[in-house]
Amino acid sequence: PGETGKITASFNPQGRNGPQTKVLTMPVIDPQGVFAPQTMTVNSNVKALVSNEPPKMYLTVATKTHELLSQLIRKGWVKRAHDCSEGGLAVALAESCMSNGDKLVGAKVNLAGFKQRADATLFGESQNRIVIRVAKANAEKIHRLAAKSGVPATKLGTTGGKTLTIKTAKAELTYDLAKLRDTWWNAITRLMDC
């Protein structure tokens, strides 16, 4: 009696929005030391939440992909490699263009043939996707080796210039790399200076 505390109730609305009620039964020891279960009704208003399962990890695909990548690196055919698991393909492409200090390497990428939604294509963080930059002379050899290894490989575009251009089925997005790198590199400093 007279004591207060915080109780957290977890609701699983299973697709139902709006008012929800949950009855909780908790073990309570009364002042005389007697165990007495207490019942309490908790009311809440559940709002819609759009969420999804985290990307699945397929270990056999991961093994094949990383074994192939290791082989390509040992052969000296890979100039740069960047995984897509943090931010998706668009972030991997941007970071690949900007991550060599002040030496920016642009890219022109065509994703118009990808059938999924643009946001899933650009920002999906599914596993086992790696963007590699290779010399034009090695591209066909890499495709043949990937096919032989059972690893899907897609040519996304070409490198060069001072912009990152990404073409999707609905739009063409172009970013000046110097501005993009400045925003990316100085974001935390600018935030802390506010």
Side-chain angles (χ1 to χ4, degrees), residues 92-175:
L93 290 166
E95 289 180 350
S96 294
C97 290
M98 303 182 299
S99 61
N100 197 16
D102 291 328
K103 185 178 179 193
L104 306 176
V105 178
K108 187 167 182 124
V109 177
N110 187 347
L111 306 176
F114 285 64
K115 301 297 181 211
Q116 64 200 67
R117 291 185 342 242
D119 62 324
T121 299
L122 295 172
F123 302 106
E125 296 180 332
S126 57
Q127 304 297 309
N128 304 318
R129 296 186 309 149
I130 303 168
V131 174
I132 60 173
R133 188 170 81 199
V134 302
K136 191 174 185 177
N138 293 326
E140 187 55 39
K141 292 186 275 188
I142 289 171
H143 275 275
R144 282 195 305 270
L145 196 53
K148 184 179 173 185
S149 301
V151 176
T154 304
K155 179 183 177 184
L156 299 177
T158 57
T159 58
K162 297 179 187 262
T163 60
L164 170 59
T165 300
I166 301 173
K167 181 178 181 180
T168 68
K170 294 186 179 184
E172 186 167 296
L173 314 164
T174 300
Y175 302 96

Side-chain angles (χ1 to χ4, degrees), residues 7-13 20-24 42 44 46:
I7 297 172
T8 303
S10 178
F11 285 84
N12 184 0
Q20 302 269 331
T21 302
K22 182 160 183 121
V23 177
L24 303 175
V42 178
S44 71
V46 177

